[in-house]
Amino acid sequence: MNVVVVESPAKAKTINKYLGPGYTVLASFGHVRDLPAKDGSVKPDEDFAMLWEVDSASAKRMNDIGAALKNADGLILATDPDREGEAISWHVLDLLRKKKLIGDKPVSRVVFNAITKKAVLDAMANPRDIDVPLVDAYLARRALDYLVGFNLSPVLWRKLPGARSAGRVQSVALRLVCDRESEIERFVSEEYWNLSAILKTPRGDDFEARLVSADGKRLQARSVGNGEQAGDLKALLESASYVVDTVEAKPVKRNPSPPFTTSTLQQAASSKLGFSASRTMQVAQRLYEGLDLGGETVGLITYMRTDGVQMAAEAIDAARSAIGDQFGARYVPEKARLYSTKAKNAQEAHEAIRPTDFTRTPDQLRRFLDADQLRLYDLIWKRGIASQMASAEIERTTVEILAESGDRKAGLRAVGSVIRFDGFIAAYTDQKEDGEQSDDGEDEGRLPEIKARETVAKQKVNASQHFTEPPPRYSEASLIKRMEELGIGRPSTYASTLATLRDREYVVIDKRKLIPEAKGRLVTAFLESFFHRYVEYDFTASLEEKLDRISAGELNWKDVLRDFWKDFFAQIEDTKELRVTNVLDALNEELAPLVFPKREDGSDPRICQVCGTGKLSLKLGKYGAFVGCSNYPECNFTRQLSSDGDAEAQASNEPQALGKDPHTDEEITLRNGRFGPYVQRGEGKEAKRSSLPKGWTPASIDHEKALALLSLPRDIGQHPETGKMISSGLGRYGPFILHDGKYANVETIEDVFSIGLNRAVSVLADKASKGPAGRGAAVAALKELGEHPDGGAITVRDGRYGPYVNWGKVNATLPKGKDPTSVTLEEALPLLAERAGKAKPVKAKAVKAKAAKPAKAKAATDGDGTEKVAKPRAAAKAKLAAKTTTKTKAAAKPKTAAAAKAQKG
């Protein structure tokens, strides 16, 4: 019997069926150990020694693998066929060797690009050793990400309060988004005019031709720059006679695109399906690991983290055969198509993403897949099969027309295309991202019959005014495309990098466009000013290239780390002398359009509008950056830093009188503070204040609304069963009602002011029936996911702080934005495993011992190049625990001799 190790339980179950009783297939649940988020996990002074930590959940998995191995003949490592998969196999083997569980048993590494019986059995027949250079490349990447995240993030915390983290890939991706926003802000729109004529052939057919030359000069796209020029040319066209000069019909062949890579799949899924990058990878993971097709679990696509564009020879043959069956013999090209990658620094060795079986059409799988799985499989199947189909044959016709009026001449051109043979277009057509230009002419339409030297009649002349537009903001898809072009990141990192930018609140997504938040722009401006080299595109790409050379065995991984660390450490040390004034001066200059937007009256945007003499500047507070006046405290003007420059953000904090409180006769004012607009009653420290709730703008606040806000909390009435008061109010988590220390959320702000006693009692009863999360009562399950490998049901539930997955006493919060109804068992298991590892109790002695030693700021990066940062809270927690232990001991000790005697007796 052999023990086979894979990553996920879904794969383990499927592969076990393929291999039969002679094998025990166990899941590692991804990585079995990681660098702990604490100082010293990577030690540059000890030749970059790395200290690995195994959490409790992973330790149990390793114990299971070790127990199975005791009675096994050998170990087969069958993790994913990429750098991360190779690293997982290396970690598993290293741990087993340290526990002395391997002995002289044979160890082999197998890889398969698809979870099908043939692919798995072929892999088992061709084992190899662990690829050491590939593991070295993983170790180098992991160390680099850790060193950047752990050393750079604390600099941000000290010099730029409110910033969350920085990272080797994350910060460069953020710079791309911020640089595009700066381009948009600096963009100056220019006027231009397009002129065209609607003409009629002698046969009565209309067509449109655009002006391309006049008076012997070639006109470029925006050559006509004002209305005067446009009027002159329009007058020429209005008075001209028109003759067809030449008609040229030219056959053009259009070839299909290669099958999907990770990045092109994410781009196409965004354009055609509206999927985010993370959603695309979640669905693709399920298709790869396999789904139940009438009693048999089958992997439907090949491995989905790749930048390879070639398909295996047998897959090409299968695709060509399926093309003949599905579309006909004419759609099968004479020779198979071969592709080579154009991605910078492409290094993945495996295939493009394709169906494992081209005979499984989307229609045949419709009843086995959910909606998202079917849509993504349909996309992959069509692109895969189209990549081996015949070229589309297009006839492109160009008509040149001469216009003459007196001694003036102009040239016009009409272009049309006709598809003579659709070829691969019958299966798949590309869809352009917003802002991209079409290059195929397919949307040019068809021209009527036009003959050379014939006269055409003018029907109408059009002169349309336009203005140049700034470059479009990045979408997730276009940002991934740009990162790939620059050689930044790798297939396994794109989705997680984008997720990190959202989670850190550095960017927001609005209508599928990435908009940098003020916090993100501050971080980028800081890094560009003081760590410019490490957010340069070329530098990051060259580092990726070095990592690829390590994986090819061309470079020593520790040499690369030494070269990087020498300069990076020096840069970090230099910032210790950096004064906050230096930081603010740099940020004021770098972010001037954001911080000091132009004023309508043309006045200096840096002069304070309240005192008229102070100079506005960025200020750094506990909760981040804001704009304040240099005359503080005499002038207390402050303004929030906004990424969209809206009127609310630009509002002065000079109090705006709304009227008086009828009961106290105190003045009620509307103000704007560091944390946003608020209403205030009275003056001084005792004045009552209330922030404006979400959705309420300063312009909408009147005396009545201000009184309502300042009256909160509002007493609704006594509960009929307990006799205790029910009240309503606004809290951190939105509008609520409160009874006997228990909260229940209500739907809208208006409910706080209008909800009656009967409905309040009903809302409280409904909340009680669901059970308060964390107090022993069960919260109703939204969805049941199945059994945990260790026994017990896994469910999705909705708690006070949002949806989470539950297994026994372990609760794991779902990622921000994740639809709880779409969670799968495979997605839930790693979340629970991670949470179980973090929930390990700390012994009192250990806490007490640690309390004496100040905790250091902690930061780390996860294995795919994104960063995890933990703020320095450990010391405070340890101090509190030690204090509690001391008090407990003191309470247990009798205070007097009499008490001691009584206790003893």
Side-chain angles (χ1 to χ4, degrees):
M1 188 270 292
N2 287 299
V3 172
V4 181
V5 178
V6 296
E7 278 105 333
S8 76
K11 286 170 66 175
K13 187 176 179 181
T14 303
I15 293 168
N16 220 37
K17 289 181 182 178
Y18 294 157
L19 297 179
Y23 296 85
T24 297
V25 186
L26 298 174
S28 71
F29 286 75
H31 277 282
V32 293
R33 62 182 181 181
D34 199 1
L35 295 171
K38 65 180 182 181
D39 195 8
S41 294
V42 177
K43 300 186 176 184
D45 294 337
E46 298 179 22
D47 201 22
F48 300 96
M50 302 170 76
L51 301 181
W52 302 99
E53 181 179 74
V54 182
D55 62 36
S56 57
S58 295
K60 187 178 187 312
R61 311 285 170 223
M62 288 305 302
N63 288 338
D64 293 342
I65 293 170
L69 193 59
K70 286 181 181 179
N71 300 316
D73 299 319
L75 174 66
I76 300 173
L77 301 165
T79 49
D80 284 341
D82 60 1
R83 186 157 41 200
E84 289 297 309
E86 206 73 20
I88 292 171
S89 287
W90 174 80
H91 278 299
V92 170
L93 182 59
D94 191 52
L95 282 169
L96 292 173
R97 280 177 173 161
K98 285 180 177 178
K99 291 183 176 183
K100 298 182 179 179
L101 295 173
I102 293 291
D104 57 358
K105 292 176 182 177
V107 178
S108 59
R109 170 85 169 107
V110 301
V111 292
F112 37 83
N113 199 42
I115 303 177
T116 62
K117 189 170 185 176
K118 182 181 184 305
V120 171
L121 294 180
D122 285 349
M124 292 294 176
N126 295 281
R128 61 169 172 81
D129 293 329
I130 284 181
D131 189 330
V132 175
L134 208 56
V135 174
D136 287 347
Y138 156 80
L139 293 172
R141 180 183 292 276
R142 194 68 191 87
L144 284 168
D145 290 340
Y146 176 91
L147 291 170
V148 172
F150 189 84
N151 289 280
L152 201 50
S153 296
V155 174
L156 286 177
W157 300 339
R158 292 193 299 269
K159 307 298 181 183
L160 202 64
R164 299 280 297 278
S165 71
R168 189 178 62 84
V169 175
Q170 164 199 319
S171 297
V172 181
L174 177 60
R175 183 191 165 190
L176 278 168
V177 177
C178 293
D179 282 358
R180 177 58 57 88
E181 197 70 17
S182 296
E183 282 184 68
I184 294 170
E185 289 170 346
R186 293 193 301 267
F187 182 81
V188 178
S189 184
E190 296 179 359
E191 179 186 9
Y192 70 97
W193 290 73
N194 286 337
L195 288 97
S196 65
I198 305 297
L199 306 173
K200 178 178 285 190
T201 71
R203 288 155 294 283
D205 298 315
D206 289 347
F207 66 98
E208 185 174 17
R210 60 185 179 85
L211 182 67
V212 294
S213 65
D215 300 321
K217 294 181 180 179
R218 172 75 59 185
L219 298 179
Q220 302 299 328
R222 292 187 287 273
S223 294
V224 183
N226 56 60
E228 184 179 347
Q229 284 180 280
D232 176 60
L233 292 172
K234 184 178 181 182
L236 165 61
L237 297 180
E238 290 280 12
S239 61
S241 58
Y242 297 82
V243 176
V244 176
D245 189 18
T246 61
V247 178
E248 182 182 13
K250 192 176 181 181
V252 177
K253 283 193 174 183
R254 184 179 167 202
N255 297 321
S257 299
F260 283 129
T261 62
T262 301
S263 66
T264 55
L265 176 63
Q266 290 169 349
Q267 292 165 44
S270 173
S271 299
K272 290 176 175 281
L273 309 180
F275 285 5
S276 67
S278 58
R279 181 61 182 154
T280 300
M281 298 311 289
Q282 288 167 1
V283 178
Q285 181 82 33
R286 292 289 293 118
L287 296 174
Y288 165 68
E289 291 188 344
L291 293 159
D292 188 348
L293 304 184
E296 180 186 7
T297 302
V298 178
L300 298 179
I301 64 170
T302 53
Y303 192 56
M304 65 288 162
R305 292 187 179 92
T306 176
D307 51 21
V309 292
Q310 188 56 277
M311 293 198 299
E314 60 269 21
I316 293 175
D317 292 341
R320 288 168 61 83
S321 176
I323 292 166
D325 293 339
Q326 295 283 330
F327 298 93
R330 190 182 173 192
Y331 289 83
V332 182
E334 188 176 329
K335 294 181 180 179
R337 295 187 181 277
L338 301 177
Y339 297 94
S340 58
T341 184
K342 295 180 181 179
K344 190 175 181 180
N345 298 337
Q347 48 82 32
E348 304 291 351
H350 28 89
E351 288 186 76
I353 305 168
R354 62 165 175 85
T356 55
D357 185 348
F358 279 101
T359 64
R360 287 196 193 98
T361 65
D363 283 341
Q364 291 174 346
L365 298 180
R366 190 175 300 276
R367 62 194 178 98
F368 300 111
L369 309 182
D370 66 27
D372 284 355
Q373 291 166 355
L374 180 63
R375 294 169 72 199
L376 192 64
Y377 180 79
D378 180 70
L379 202 63
I380 293 168
W381 186 90
K382 287 178 176 176
R383 173 84 166 227
I385 206 159
S387 72
Q388 288 300 321
M389 291 176 71
S391 302
E393 297 174 9
I394 300 168
E395 184 180 85
R396 178 167 292 168
T397 303
T398 304
V399 180
E400 301 288 351
I401 298 156
L402 182 63
E404 291 185 277
S405 176
D407 58 353
R408 298 185 68 186
K409 295 181 180 180
L412 295 90
R413 179 179 298 148
V415 180
S417 293
V418 178
I419 297 176
R420 297 299 184 190
F421 171 60
D422 55 2
F424 76 92
I425 294 174
Y428 181 88
T429 54
D430 291 315
Q431 185 168 323
K432 298 292 180 183
E433 271 288 306
D434 293 345
E436 289 188 10
Q437 298 297 318
S438 175
D439 58 3
D440 51 37
E442 190 182 328
D443 55 353
E444 292 166 351
R446 185 170 187 163
L447 291 174
E449 182 185 359
I450 304 173
K451 297 178 181 179
R453 308 315 305 165
E454 69 181 1
T455 300
V456 289
K458 175 197 60 132
Q459 300 293 101
K460 184 181 179 182
V461 174
N462 296 317
S464 55
Q465 183 187 34
H466 302 272
F467 294 91
T468 55
E469 294 184 355
R473 289 186 172 109
Y474 284 111
S475 65
E476 282 197 343
S478 59
L479 180 61
I480 289 169
K481 182 178 181 181
R482 184 62 180 144
M483 289 173 68
E484 185 180 44
E485 289 170 351
L486 293 171
I488 297 168
R490 281 295 173 264
S492 60
T493 69
Y494 298 135
S496 54
T497 298
L498 291 173
T500 300
L501 295 182
R502 292 194 305 271
D503 294 344
R504 299 282 185 263
E505 297 178 344
Y506 288 161
V507 302
V508 293
I509 299 179
D510 182 28
K511 297 178 182 176
R512 294 175 55 201
K513 296 298 182 183
L514 299 175
I515 304 172
E517 292 277 47
K519 187 187 299 182
R521 299 195 65 182
L522 281 168
V523 169
T524 297
F526 176 84
L527 294 176
E528 285 198 81
S529 298
F530 303 105
F531 290 90
H532 180 69
R533 184 185 182 202
Y534 301 99
V535 289
E536 282 182 344
Y537 305 136
D538 289 346
F539 175 79
T540 306
S542 69
L543 205 52
E544 293 285 1
E545 186 177 5
K546 289 179 181 178
L547 292 169
D548 295 337
R549 292 183 64 192
I550 293 170
S551 65
E554 297 173 4
L555 288 178
N556 181 282
W557 69 284
K558 289 193 175 180
D559 287 344
V560 172
L561 290 180
R562 291 185 196 102
D563 290 343
F564 173 85
W565 179 248
K566 179 182 176 182
D567 294 335
F568 182 68
F569 180 73
Q571 193 84 26
I572 293 288
E573 289 295 297
D574 287 346
T575 62
K576 289 182 178 179
E577 305 300 320
L578 191 63
R579 299 172 62 88
V580 172
T581 53
N582 302 137
V583 174
L584 294 178
D585 288 344
L587 296 182
N588 283 333
E589 183 176 345
E590 187 77 25
L591 295 175
L594 171 70
V595 183
F596 315 112
K598 291 181 180 179
R599 292 173 180 166
E600 291 183 4
D601 61 4
S603 61
D604 186 349
R606 292 203 62 176
I607 297 298
C608 178
Q609 290 176 294
V610 175
C611 68
T613 59
K615 194 171 184 180
L616 299 182
S617 171
L618 274 172
K619 306 286 184 182
L620 299 177
K622 181 179 179 181
Y623 300 101
F626 62 97
V627 178
C629 178
S630 61
N631 284 340
Y632 179 84
E634 288 76 16
C635 177
N636 67 347
F637 172 83
T638 58
R639 166 166 45 86
Q640 282 184 298
L641 186 61
S642 169
S643 59
D644 54 13
D646 59 19
E648 184 176 322
Q650 311 307 324
S652 166
N653 70 337
E654 185 175 0
Q656 176 185 339
L658 298 175
K660 291 190 175 183
D661 188 303
H663 301 293
T664 66
D665 202 39
E666 292 176 297
E667 191 75 37
I668 297 175
T669 53
L670 173 65
R671 304 176 181 228
N672 194 57
R674 186 180 305 177
F675 308 113
Y678 64 96
V679 291
Q680 176 174 313
R681 183 178 63 210
E683 297 291 340
K685 292 182 179 179
E686 303 303 318
K688 179 158 186 183
R689 301 174 180 85
S690 176
S691 296
L692 301 195
K694 190 174 182 179
W696 286 26
T697 62
S700 70
I701 301 300
D702 54 21
H703 183 247
E704 183 181 354
K705 283 188 173 182
L707 279 174
L709 284 174
L710 292 167
S711 69
L712 296 177
R714 163 181 166 256
D715 288 341
I716 299 171
Q718 293 180 332
H719 196 288
E721 294 178 3
T722 66
K724 295 182 179 180
M725 183 59 68
I726 303 174
S727 61
S728 63
L730 292 171
R732 182 179 178 184
Y733 302 105
F736 64 85
I737 55 175
L738 171 65
H739 168 252
D740 196 19
K742 297 177 181 178
Y743 293 84
N745 289 104
V746 291
E747 293 181 3
T748 65
I749 301 296
E750 287 67 29
D751 286 337
V752 172
F753 305 110
S754 62
I755 191 170
L757 182 60
N758 290 339
R759 186 172 164 225
V761 171
S762 175
V763 170
L764 289 166
D766 183 56
K767 176 69 183 292
S769 68
K770 294 179 180 178
R775 299 200 179 187
V779 178
L782 299 176
K783 182 180 179 183
E784 294 185 1
L785 300 180
E787 285 289 311
H788 193 282
D790 294 336
I794 298 177
T795 56
V796 182
R797 300 172 183 269
D798 193 13
R800 180 178 179 184
Y801 305 112
Y804 62 95
V805 289
N806 166 262
W807 170 55
K809 294 183 179 180
V810 180
N811 297 326
T813 304
L814 293 179
K816 188 176 180 181
K818 176 67 177 175
D819 180 3
T821 61
S822 69
V823 179
T824 64
L825 179 63
E826 288 70 23
E827 293 169 351
L829 287 170
L831 294 174
L832 291 167
E834 181 182 4
R835 182 60 187 165
K838 290 179 179 178
K840 186 176 180 180
V842 181
K843 293 181 180 179
K845 287 183 179 179
V847 172
K848 188 175 180 181
K850 289 180 182 177
K853 183 178 179 181
K856 296 183 179 180
K858 297 180 180 181
T861 60
D862 55 33
D864 57 19
T866 59
E867 293 66 36
K868 296 178 180 177
V869 180
K871 291 189 177 180
R873 295 189 292 246
K877 289 184 178 179
K879 185 176 180 181
L880 178 62
K883 188 176 179 181
T884 304
T885 304
T886 305
K887 285 185 176 180
T888 304
K889 288 181 177 179
K893 185 177 181 181
K895 295 182 180 179
T896 65
K901 186 176 181 181
Q903 191 180 69
K904 188 175 182 181

